[in-house]
Each structure stands twice: as C-alpha cells, then as structure tokens.
Amino acid sequence: MRIAVIGLGYIGLPTAIMFASSGHDVIGYDIRRDVVEKVNRGIAHIVEPEIGERLREVVSKGKLRATSDYNDLKGADAFIICVQTPLSNGVPDLTYLESAIKTIAKVIEKEALVVIESTVPPGTTERMAKLLEELTGLKEGEDFYVAHAPERVMPGRIFKELVYNSRIIGGVSEKASILAEKLYRSFVKGRIFLTTATTAEMVKLMENTFRDVNIALANEFAFLAHKYGVNVYEAIELANTHPRVKIHRPGIGVGGHCLPKDPYLLLANVDEDLGLIRKARKINESMPRFAAKLLFEALGEANVDPGDAVVLVLGLAYKGDTDDVRNSPALEFIKIIEKDVKEVRTYDPYVNGTHTILEEAVKGVDAIIIATDHSMFREIEWDKLGNLMRNKIIIDGRNLVKEPPKGFIFKGIGRGDV
Ligand code: SAJ
C-alpha cells in the first residue's frame, strides 16, 4: 500500500519506519523542512534506540521518503496523522490536527483510510470525519474511512512497544475499524481491540490519567510520610507486596508531553468540576514547589543565606535516560528558585547547554538537587563530590540516594525518616 504519515515527530517517524520496513511505500509529510531534509538523508532528528539504522535502511531501499509538498501525498491509500495536540493556556490546541485534515482534504481519493494517532479529546475523531466530509463532499463509511488508533509507546522503547503492545482501534464506521486493523497488522504482533472512535479516545486518555492520579496519590503519601517520620519508598514497596496494590513513585514532578496534558484533554468538553482528576494534576504540579521548600529549609539549617547560595540541578530531562525536556519538573523547579538564589547551574549528560563535566559543575556549590533519575546518577560517589562543594546539601527529588552520605544535610521527597 501507499501510506502517507503526517507529522514526523516522536511517534510519526518511528511509525513511518515500521510501515516502510513491513513493505509499504511510505511518504512522510512534515511542515518542518529541516526535518524533511534530514529524514531524506537517512538521519533521525530524535533520540531513540535503533532509530538511526532502521531509518537508513528504509530510506536507502526507497521505501520511505519525506516531503513538505502536499501534492506528493496524492494517491495515498492511507493517511496516518501523528501531529502534536498541545495545550495552550489550559485549552487543547487542535490547530495542527485541523490543518492535517485540511491538507488531506486536498488530495484524498475514494476508498482511502484516515487514521488519527494523535491524542485528542473525546469526540474529536468524529468531528474530524465530519470536517473531511464538508471539505470534500465525500461520505465517511462510503467514500472514505476514519479511525482513531492512539499511540501507546514509551520513549526509549518505541520500536519494541510499536510491535508488541496491544492496540485499541476505534472506527467512525465499522469498516474503518476493520481496514485500520488490517493495516496495523502489517507490524503489530500484540492484540488489536476494535471499538468506537470516541471509546478509543477515552481509553487513551484514561490510561495516562490513571498514571497521573496514581502518582498524585503517591505524592500525597510522600507529604504524609514527612509528617509521620517515615520513608515513603519503603512504605510503598511494602504496600505493593499486596497482590492487588500497585502504588507509583512520588517525586519532584510529572513531566513529558503526555501525563501533564492528557488529563486536561479528558476534561476538555466537560463543564462540571469533577474534582479528583483536576486535584491530582494540582498535586503533581505542586511538587517542584515542595522540592524548593526542602531546599530552603536545608539552606537555613546550613546557615546559608539563599541570596548567596549556588545550586546545582542534577538532571534536566523529564525522566531518566532520555534527552527530552518537555514540561520537565526540573525546569519548573529552576523557575521557582532562580530569583531567590545567587546562581543555578545545571548538569545533564543527555541535554545540550548544561555543564559537561560533573566535577566542574559541582565546584563551590552549596546544594545539589536531583531532578532526574538518570541511571548514571546512581553511580555517583557522594563523598568525593562533597569535597568539591562549599556546603554539603543534597535534595533528592527522585529517590536516587538510598543511604544519605555522612556529613551531608540530606532531604528527599518522601524521606520523612531522615
Ligand atoms: N513519574 C513519576 N512517578 C512514577 C512514574 C512516572 O513521578 O511512578 C513521572 C516521570 O518521572 C515523568 C512523568 O511521570 O516525569 C511521565 O513519565 P512516564 O514514564 O509515566 O510517561 P511518558 O510520558 O514517558 O509515557 C506515557 C506512557 N503512558 C503510560 O504508561 C500509561 C506511554 O505508554 C504513552 O505512550 C505516553 O505516555 C503517551 O504518549 O501518551
């Protein structure tokens, strides 16, 4: 089949590669010319295991080509939409999706399938099918077919998860579901469940909302652990020995492009304040402030005037072992403290623009805040690093330091035991 993938980002590019390596002729469309040019040279513009060699292979075999010209999309049997659906001022911004639909309307031919992979508020896929009908004069379910097949992959494991995760596919018409299932079977080895478009939209948002609310609960347990003098991580580990309990991990915050946004997409078309989901968001959004509070308490204990304090943030990425800083709690933490301290330094081996040598970054600092759980931070020898610091304060926002090193003022989110 001839497949057009609209949007060559974190999801679109790997998806285009998977369709191309399973034998389809894939044309990738992106409005960013730099991305198009790189892809056509076989160079990935995102960091993801295996992506380089996989991309080179499909480009060199002529199975994947990128373009910024919508005319190149003519004749596609299927369009896969993988554009971003961000929040702007707390409201879902669907302009990228709408403009993808308008582009498709210019070139779509009869019998084509349109699949929306982007995460969207419930009801959006049906609305987009109507928009396509209005723009083309054609009819969904007769002339063309529209389905929602939400992406569910975890950055860092994308090529495994694209193949082995199960998929939810919701067609606007039944035939749309069946056609989309057939298409995704090209590379999906996991189970495929068929449902309606709006159910599929809700399922995707419920998954990430479940995770967000669970983390908020863990964060509330962390506050309580400070009151009761308990190590919340030990308590959670013990609670999770119960066969029906699975509490997530507390921490300095919830970042990335999904969890901070998806609960708001789920609530987008609802006027009542249902309480729980919004409250969970507020708890998670407050965690960088809680980390800042621990920092200022520690500076007080060390008799350091915050206005003189030099602080090092260890890790900028939103989660461990990635370079992705979208909605990173580390950035929010820096915004909160920077006006009150003398200097904020950053060190993240995956993120450009931060210090490149840890020992240099640490020289003369009063406090280190651990904001990202990069595996390599577990190997840090705190005694050695402590010798380079002016004051020895550690604020652990990711439970990386199990045993507080001797001679340090140590505070950690959820570490009521120290
Ligand atoms: N986090 C915690 N405590 C935890 C787990 C995570 O504080 O127990 C924090 C992380 O540090 C990070 C944030 O939450 O800052 C999000 O991390 P994540 O690993 O939960 O999620 P993402 O955004 O990388 O990927 C999620 C995944 N969804 C689920 O696991 C339900 C992924 O499968 C989705 O494809 C992705 O969202 C998406 O695109 O929607």
Side-chain angles (χ1 to χ4, degrees):
M1 275 171 89
R2 205 172 126 79
I3 298 177
V5 177
I6 318 283
L8 295 175
Y10 277 88
I11 301 300
L13 184 56
T15 302
I17 293 171
M18 288 310 294
F19 278 121
S21 56
S22 39
H24 299 288
D25 291 309
V26 181
I27 179 103
Y29 175 83
D30 203 293
I31 47 175
R32 286 177 51 189
R33 284 174 198 278
D34 56 324
V35 168
V36 166
E37 196 218 322
K38 271 196 175 156
V39 169
N40 282 334
R41 284 195 286 139
I43 301 168
H45 65 102
I46 56 172
V47 176
E48 177 64 31
E50 299 172 37
I51 194 162
E53 58 269 35
R54 283 176 181 266
L55 176 63
R56 268 193 303 281
E57 193 184 330
V58 289
V59 170
S60 68
K61 283 187 178 153
K63 299 304 280 182
L64 171 63
R65 187 168 72 80
T67 183
S68 287
D69 180 356
Y70 71 83
N71 287 304
D72 293 338
L73 306 180
K74 280 181 187 148
D77 303 299
F79 297 87
I80 315 288
I81 304 178
C82 303
V83 296
Q84 47 173 326
T85 48
L87 278 184
S88 82
N89 299 324
V91 180
D93 174 1
L94 300 178
T95 49
Y96 298 96
L97 177 61
E98 280 161 9
S99 97
I101 293 288
K102 287 176 189 159
T103 302
I104 293 170
K106 291 182 201 160
V107 294
I108 192 169
E109 291 175 9
K110 281 201 170 181
E111 292 305 310
L113 171 69
V114 178
V115 179
I116 299 175
E117 283 216 17
S118 312
T119 307
V120 290
T124 305
T125 301
E126 285 197 0
R127 215 158 50 71
M128 292 301 128
K130 287 224 168 62
L131 177 61
L132 207 46
E133 286 182 341
E134 281 162 25
L135 293 168
T136 59
L138 300 173
K139 191 130 186 54
E140 200 287 332
E142 288 174 18
D143 303 317
F144 68 87
Y145 306 92
V146 177
H148 183 47
E151 60 86 7
R152 299 171 113 184
V153 292
M154 195 78 132
R157 303 172 41 87
I158 292 182
F159 286 102
K160 273 184 211 78
E161 295 209 354
L162 274 176
V163 176
Y164 293 104
N165 282 5
S166 54
R167 292 289 295 228
I168 311 295
I169 292 179
V172 171
S173 54
E174 237 175 87
K175 187 158 173 202
S177 294
I178 292 163
L179 290 174
E181 179 186 21
K182 196 161 166 249
L183 180 61
Y184 279 88
R185 267 291 164 232
S186 311
F187 62 82
V188 173
K189 294 204 169 83
R191 296 178 69 185
I192 296 181
F193 299 92
L194 302 188
T195 180
T196 66
T198 309
T199 306
E201 291 166 335
M202 200 164 161
V203 168
K204 163 70 191 186
L205 296 169
M206 281 163 50
E207 290 166 2
N208 281 345
T209 301
F210 162 79
R211 208 160 158 77
D212 197 48
V213 172
N214 193 326
I215 297 167
L217 179 64
N219 282 331
E220 197 154 295
F221 288 154
F223 293 130
L224 293 171
H226 283 269
K227 306 273 177 219
Y228 291 123
V230 164
N231 176 348
V232 80
Y233 299 95
E234 185 198 350
I236 288 174
E237 209 177 307
L238 294 174
N240 283 349
T241 61
H242 187 289
R244 288 175 294 283
V245 174
K246 177 81 188 78
I247 305 164
H248 286 16
R249 292 181 318 278
I252 189 168
V254 173
H257 49 300
C258 305
L259 268 58
K261 169 189 77 142
D262 290 358
Y264 291 125
L265 296 193
L266 185 57
L267 299 175
N269 302 321
V270 179
D271 292 331
E272 312 92 292
D273 185 357
L274 300 174
L276 176 64
I277 297 171
R278 223 174 268 281
K279 176 73 184 170
R281 262 299 64 233
K282 295 290 170 225
I283 291 172
N284 291 340
E285 286 164 6
S286 78
M287 295 313 287
R289 285 200 295 283
F290 184 56
K293 181 172 160 269
L294 294 180
L295 168 68
F296 291 119
E297 274 173 22
L299 288 172
E301 283 171 31
N303 288 320
V304 178
D305 180 348
D308 293 330
V310 181
V311 173
L312 173 67
V313 177
L314 218 51
L316 272 198
Y318 82 89
K319 72 173 178 183
D321 302 331
T322 74
D323 67 330
D324 194 337
V325 297
R326 285 178 291 177
N327 296 316
S328 175
L331 298 176
E332 188 56 31
F333 174 80
I334 292 170
K335 236 194 260 166
I336 293 164
I337 65 157
E338 66 188 350
K339 54 186 185 312
D340 296 320
V341 300
K342 183 165 173 234
E343 185 188 343
V344 181
R345 298 180 193 167
T346 55
Y347 173 78
D348 190 314
Y350 296 94
V351 180
N352 291 334
T354 70
H355 273 270
T356 47
I357 299 167
L358 178 59
E359 287 70 18
E360 273 176 18
V362 167
K363 228 172 260 167
V365 305
D366 298 296
I368 294 178
I369 284 85
I370 305 170
T372 308
D373 46 354
H374 290 316
S375 314
M376 55 168 32
F377 291 167
R378 291 179 206 281
E379 315 298 320
I380 289 175
E381 294 180 47
W382 291 102
D383 292 335
K384 279 193 193 154
L385 225 49
N387 292 333
L388 301 169
M389 297 171 75
R390 184 165 63 181
N391 279 286
K392 297 189 191 181
I393 297 174
I394 300 174
I395 309 295
D396 189 354
R398 292 292 183 193
N399 192 34
L400 237 84
V401 182
K402 305 282 180 246
E403 275 302 316
K406 291 218 162 45
F408 280 75
I409 296 178
F410 176 89
K411 291 182 188 293
I413 288 176
R415 293 298 302 269
D417 58 319
V418 289

